Amino acid sequence: MISSTINPTDISISGIHLHGKNINKISRTIKDLSGLFSDEKAFAKMDNSTLVYEVESYFPVADGTEGGLFFGITHLYPGKIGDEYFMTRGHLHTITNRAEYYWGIEGEGLLLLMDENRNTRGELIIPGSLHYISGGTAHRVVNTGKTLLSFGACWPSDAGHNYEAIAKTGFSKRVLDVQGKPQLV
Ligand code: PAN
Ligand code: ZN
């Protein structure tokens, strides 16, 4: 190994996971997601500790640094609350013009993209699919499959996350199981 290079195994992608030093892991369980799903009765019956998704992130620079990049892998479990599939909270970036890449690694789902005029469209996430999320676009992922959905993300380190707007007004469309098939309604 040439001195002064970092050992490539310090940070690595192995299989569907991000490994190494300084990997930040967060978990979102049912108790973190109140108000997100349309069927409140079904939501109330869920076990609060049920894991919905986990995010493994690598932050090589401080949050808020201009010019840097962050990298993450999200693992979204299969499941439903009523007829609505498990999904991420979804957000806009605090600096609204900051873009992001997502890409499918394992499983199948939909990336919901909502523009400033509240028009929502879905892009199919499958292993190898690449998704460019332009600035000003709210983004959320829905697991429409029966297995774990894992996807990668790369975003500017000064982007920040604005969850409030989505918590208040939501997306203009939801992904529901309609007679066994996912539909954007
Ligand atoms: C992703 C998301 C991750 C979890 O890394 O943060 O998939 O989704 P929520 O943040 O909406 O809960 C990303 O878009 N970063 O900017
Ligand atoms: Zn984002």
Side-chain angles (χ1 to χ4, degrees):
M1 159 116 312
I2 303 164
S3 63
S4 87
T5 59
I6 67 157
N7 185 335
T9 57
D10 280 355
I11 301 287
S12 62
I13 303 169
S14 68
I16 61 170
H17 288 284
L18 199 53
H19 280 286
K21 293 176 188 165
N22 304 319
I23 297 297
N24 176 276
K25 293 189 185 182
I26 59 149
S27 302
R28 298 278 181 235
T29 60
I30 290 292
K31 76 167 166 11
D32 302 312
L33 303 175
S34 68
L36 213 67
F37 294 89
S38 58
D39 189 338
E40 285 172 13
K41 276 188 192 154
F43 184 84
K45 284 187 192 146
M46 297 288 298
D47 178 344
N48 264 341
S49 64
T50 300
L51 194 54
V52 180
Y53 60 100
E54 297 167 291
V55 189
E56 299 161 348
S57 304
Y58 179 42
F59 303 129
V61 294
D63 193 14
T65 303
E66 194 184 322
L69 292 171
F70 289 156
F71 186 97
I73 299 179
T74 301
H75 307 285
L76 176 56
Y77 289 87
K80 277 186 293 184
I81 295 177
D83 291 332
E84 193 167 16
Y85 300 97
F86 278 8
M87 59 189 177
T88 59
R89 288 164 75 190
H91 59 266
L92 280 159
H93 291 153
T94 309
I95 301 183
T96 47
N97 71 4
R98 295 302 192 257
E100 181 163 7
Y101 276 115
Y102 274 11
W103 58 97
I105 298 173
E106 182 173 298
E108 186 171 318
L110 267 189
L111 167 61
L112 294 189
L113 298 168
M114 183 171 75
D115 67 19
E116 283 105 339
N117 300 317
R118 295 191 54 79
N119 295 312
T120 300
R121 64 193 173 88
E123 290 185 4
L124 184 65
I125 304 185
I126 52 171
S129 63
L130 182 64
H131 310 271
Y132 179 69
I133 303 167
S134 53
T137 307
H139 42 291
R140 159 180 288 165
V141 171
V142 184
N143 186 345
T144 54
K146 290 186 166 59
T147 59
L148 182 72
L149 170 62
S150 295
F151 61 94
C154 185
W155 68 101
S157 46
D158 63 351
H161 293 93
N162 171 1
Y163 293 102
E164 289 73 42
I166 292 304
K168 258 189 219 149
T169 53
F171 278 67
S172 59
K173 285 185 179 160
R174 292 181 178 274
V175 185
L176 302 181
D177 176 333
V178 180
Q179 292 168 346
K181 286 205 178 127
Q183 283 195 15
L184 200 55
V185 293

